[in-house]
């Protein structure tokens, strides 16, 4: 199948790199009136990963939608990656995915077998997550796109948002960074087979184990690191929580080949959008430019950024080790002193 259909050649952007920039999105939503409802626990006004609506004292619905153009040439793999990415938003809120709907756009001349394989990849990954795909919607489009609208369950008192970090919290991350750089390089034949195999492994790994571990501890905030990069999503957490983040760049797992590719200027378009959004709020210290670039790199199906009470940081980190692709202690949240929001050291 991979030799028959080169999906990435049919799209201008790949994966979460196709997202509208965070700064542009904020402008588009800036004057929207937020309808007040006492049962709406989380809406779009906080730039969070999903909405949360309280149904009963013991049950709230988590709802999200995510779709994008192909990031891999193999249709089945693309379907898996897109589903993994969509399901991640529910995990980031501390929820469990339960129901999903397909969202698909396909060129009219795409082979039926390729369409079937995309859907099969999504179904298999949703079932791995314990969710049921119950239908969906498809349209014709010149560029293929696929994703899911996902509904999950969470206890109303245990919802995690990106705006609850407290001074003193320890910041943990659960996957390496560099996906956007590697997939951009792959489109021009400059990424090694080994690095791409690792990238696919990361993009098809659910954040389920990370979620299952973190809900046992005093986690104050969480977000998944996807298209807006570690810097963009970190900035949203810092602003929403009214804290500043101090990050130890040496402790952040940057995929080595991604760093080297960034050093020679192989960078996704989304990296520049993320820089434009977040860089005014970042003090880079003496961090090498290519490493900064990877910190602004749009991730597809990235890991969770977790702000946890310092007393629970080591036990949670220990539980994450071996359960997630890369358990990292990358910094702390500190009281906001005005000015920059993220400090790299």
């Amino acid at each position: 199948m991979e030799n028959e259909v080169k999906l990435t050649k049919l799209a201008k952007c790949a994966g979460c790199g196709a997202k509208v920039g965070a700064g542009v999105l904020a402008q588009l939503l800036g004057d929207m009136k937020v309808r007040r409802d006492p049962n709406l626990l989380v809406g779009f006004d906080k730039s969070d990963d999903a909405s949360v609506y309280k149904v009963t004292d013991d049950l709230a619905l988590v709802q999200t939608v995510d779709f994008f153009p192909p990031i891999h040439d193999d249709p089945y793999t693309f379907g898996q990656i897109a589903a993994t990415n969509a399901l991640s938003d529910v995990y980031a809120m501390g929820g469990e995915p339960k129901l999903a709907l397909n969202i698909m756009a396909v060129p009219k001349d795409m082979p039926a077998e390729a369409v079937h394989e995309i859907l099969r990849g999504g179904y298999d990954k949703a079932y791995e997550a314990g969710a049921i795909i119950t239908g969906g919607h498809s349209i014709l489009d010149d560029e293929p796109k696929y994703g899911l609208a996902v509904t999950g369950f969470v206890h109303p008192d245990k919802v995690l948002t990106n705006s609850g970090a407290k001074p003193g919290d320890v910041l943990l991350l659960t996957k390496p960074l560099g996906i956007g750089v590697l997939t951009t390089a792959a489109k021009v034949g400059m990424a090694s087979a080994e690095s791409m195999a690792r990238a696919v492994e990361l993009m098809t790994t659910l954040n389920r184990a990370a979620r299952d571990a973190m809900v046992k501890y005093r986690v104050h905030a969480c977000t998944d690191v996807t298209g807006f990069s570690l810097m963009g999503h970190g900035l949203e957490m810092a602003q929403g929580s009214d804290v500043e983040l101090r990050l130890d760049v040496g402790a952040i797992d940057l995929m080595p080949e991604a760093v080297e590719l960034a050093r020679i200027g192989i960078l996704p378009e989304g990296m520049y959008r993320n820089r434009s959004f977040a860089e005014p709020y970042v003090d880079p210290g003496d961090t090498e430019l290519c490493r900064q670039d990877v910190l602004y790199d749009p991730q597809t199906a990235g890991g969770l950024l977790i702000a946890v009470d310092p007393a629970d940081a080591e036990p949670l980190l220990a539980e994450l080790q071996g359960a997630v692709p890369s358990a990292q202690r990358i910094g702390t949240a500190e009281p906001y002193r005005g000015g920059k929001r993220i400090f790299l050291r």
Side-chain angles (χ1 to χ4, degrees), residues 295-310:
L295 297 178
Y296 289 103
D297 182 39
Q299 305 302 289
T300 298
L304 299 185
L305 174 62
I306 302 167
V308 60
D309 187 284

Side-chain angles (χ1 to χ4, degrees), residues 58-266:
D58 299 315
L59 177 68
L61 296 181
V62 184
Q63 290 193 309
T64 185
V65 59
D66 215 316
F67 67 104
F68 48 58
I71 194 168
H72 197 277
D73 283 325
D74 177 63
Y76 179 76
T77 303
F78 168 46
Q80 285 193 306
I81 293 170
T84 300
N85 186 72
L87 292 158
S88 182
D89 285 341
V90 175
Y91 291 130
M93 307 298 289
E96 296 181 79
K98 293 298 181 183
L99 299 171
L101 297 170
N102 287 313
I103 299 170
M104 174 171 260
V106 294
K108 61 182 178 181
D109 57 351
M110 178 175 281
E113 184 183 4
V115 176
H116 173 79
E117 286 298 289
I118 293 171
L119 291 170
R120 188 171 70 88
Y123 272 76
D124 284 354
K125 193 54 64 171
Y127 292 157
E128 181 185 334
I132 304 169
I133 295 180
T134 59
H137 186 67
S138 60
I139 63 169
L140 295 176
D141 194 353
D142 291 339
E143 288 189 358
K145 301 173 184 71
Y146 177 65
L148 299 175
V150 186
T151 298
F153 297 162
V154 68
H155 193 286
D157 297 335
K158 297 180 180 179
V159 176
L160 296 175
T161 71
N162 66 358
S163 58
K166 299 179 180 180
D169 280 353
V170 173
L171 302 174
L172 306 180
L173 186 62
T174 66
K175 287 186 182 181
L177 302 178
I179 293 292
V181 173
L182 290 172
T183 53
T184 297
K187 294 185 75 170
V188 292
M190 294 185 66
S192 70
E194 294 78 10
S195 288
M196 283 309 299
R198 175 60 171 161
V200 169
E201 179 185 17
L202 292 171
M203 291 187 289
T204 55
T205 298
L206 295 171
N207 282 323
R208 182 178 187 172
R211 178 267 174 199
D212 290 350
M214 74 176 178
V215 296
K216 302 175 186 176
Y217 299 90
R218 287 171 290 179
V219 170
H220 298 141
C222 182
T223 186
D224 61 336
V225 177
T226 54
F228 296 156
S229 75
L230 177 62
M231 293 294 93
H233 290 289
L235 175 59
E236 289 181 337
M237 178 180 286
Q239 290 177 324
S241 306
D242 196 25
V243 297
E244 60 186 45
L245 307 184
R246 296 189 169 269
L247 303 183
D248 178 2
V249 177
I252 301 173
D253 188 358
L254 308 179
M255 286 186 277
E257 188 168 318
V259 175
E260 293 309 310
L261 288 164
R263 183 172 281 119
I264 62 174
I266 306 300

